[in-house]
């Protein structure tokens, strides 16, 4: 469905690419302000933005926040081993490859037709050490060797909801198994008032990791609107002060909660197990208008 277009064309000539993938109707929309940049939507929901000329450019707010986590996970420019659960247009894998050359990365993306579309229309740098596996995120994670990863990023949505089996303590047990000592886990979470899902995810991470931080728009944290929050977890102290400074200086500033303030925010929520897990809430229709 739709025609293949050369991703190197100028935006005045570029046309949207529309194809049916497993997750629904995928659209690659050219960015009229950046010569070789594209936004990926699936069933109308924005999934990724990629600038092929500048893969270090992160357009989406939550991806910028994850970019800050990537920047702080190791000294600047040092190669890392990263696992990405959820691929989209491979934005964050491209970011790691651009900012930390010689990094080794594994991407797990269930939607094989989407991967094929992205590879064809938005080709990866052939020198990037990025392996893409078409599998369920938890099944793919199970195949990663013990202690292999410096960083695990979870950004998995089925439609607009995170699947239930990626929200539990058992899932985080496998994340911990894959992480090297001192490794960092970061997750893109989406929720709105009354923030029950977000509070439950913080409580779940708190029983598996010693250190936590949460970065989000203040309006989201106050339960005023639906939005994204980035949860960061590790067994070593996190660079909270620097993360706070960076997200506060973004075009859409965020706040970072940690320590007692984050515990208070969690409000006594119970950790989530496989038996009790449910998918994250669907966003209201107005979110994507």
């Amino acid at each position: 469905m739709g025609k293949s277009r050369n991703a190197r064309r100028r935006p005045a000539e570029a046309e949207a690419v529309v194809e049916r993938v497993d997750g629904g109707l995928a659209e690659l929309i050219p960015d009229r302000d950046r010569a070789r940049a594209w936004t990926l939507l699936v069933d109308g929901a924005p999934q990724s933005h990629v600038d092929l000329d500048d893969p270090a450019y992160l357009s989406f707010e939550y991806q910028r926040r994850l970019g800050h986590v990537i920047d702080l996970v190791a000294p600047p420019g040092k190669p890392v081993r990263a696992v990405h659960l959820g691929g989209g247009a491979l934005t964050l894998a491209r970011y790691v490859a651009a900012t930390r050359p010689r990094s080794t990365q594994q991407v797990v993306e269930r939607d094989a037709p989407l991967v094929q579309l992205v590879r064809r229309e938005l080709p990866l740098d052939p020198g990037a050490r990025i392996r893409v596996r078409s599998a369920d995120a938890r099944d793919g994670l199970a195949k990663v060797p013990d202690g292999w990863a410096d960083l695990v990023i979870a950004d998995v949505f089925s439609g607009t909801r995170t699947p239930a089996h990626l929200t539990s303590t058992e899932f985080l047990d496998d994340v911990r198994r894959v992480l090297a000592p001192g490794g960092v886990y970061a997750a893109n979470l989406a929720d709105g008032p009354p923030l029950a899902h977000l509070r439950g995810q913080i409580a779940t991470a708190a029983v598996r990791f010693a250190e936590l931080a949460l970065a989000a728009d203040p309006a989201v944290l106050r339960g005023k609107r639906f939005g994204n929050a980035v949860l960061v977890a590790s067994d070593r102290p996190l660079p909270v002060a620097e993360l706070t400074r960076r997200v506060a200086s973004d075009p859409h500033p965020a706040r970072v909660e940690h320590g007692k303030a984050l515990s208070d925010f969690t409000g006594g929520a119970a950790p989530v197990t496989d038996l009790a897990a449910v998918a994250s809430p669907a966003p209201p229709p107005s979110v994507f208008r």
Side-chain angles (χ1 to χ4, degrees), residues 31 34 37-39 47-72 84 87 89-99 153 155 230 246-247 250-252:
D31 184 334
R34 302 179 75 89
W38 300 75
T39 298
Q47 300 286 330
S48 305
H49 179 279
V50 169
D51 187 332
L52 295 175
D53 287 332
D54 184 9
Y57 173 76
L58 299 175
S59 176
F60 289 6
E61 295 172 32
Y62 85 86
Q63 290 186 328
R64 288 179 66 90
R65 291 164 195 160
L66 286 168
H68 295 319
V69 175
I70 293 167
D71 292 344
L72 297 172
H84 302 263
L90 309 178
T91 303
L92 291 171
R94 299 172 200 264
Y95 181 86
V96 172
T99 59
I153 296 177
D155 184 15
V230 170
R246 291 186 181 219
V247 302
D250 278 343
H252 299 280

Side-chain angles (χ1 to χ4, degrees), residues 66 69 152 154 172 184-189 198 201-206 211-215 229-233 238 257 262:
L66 286 168
V69 175
V152 174
L172 290 184
V184 173
Y185 170 65
N188 174 33
L189 307 174
L198 182 57
Q201 288 304 284
I202 298 166
T204 304
E211 300 288 335
L212 302 179
L214 185 76
V230 170
L231 178 64
V232 188
L238 294 166
E257 298 285 10
L262 186 57

Side-chain angles (χ1 to χ4, degrees), residues 6 42 52 55 103 204 226 251 275:
N6 189 329
V42 178
L52 295 175
S103 291
T204 304
F226 194 98
L275 287 175

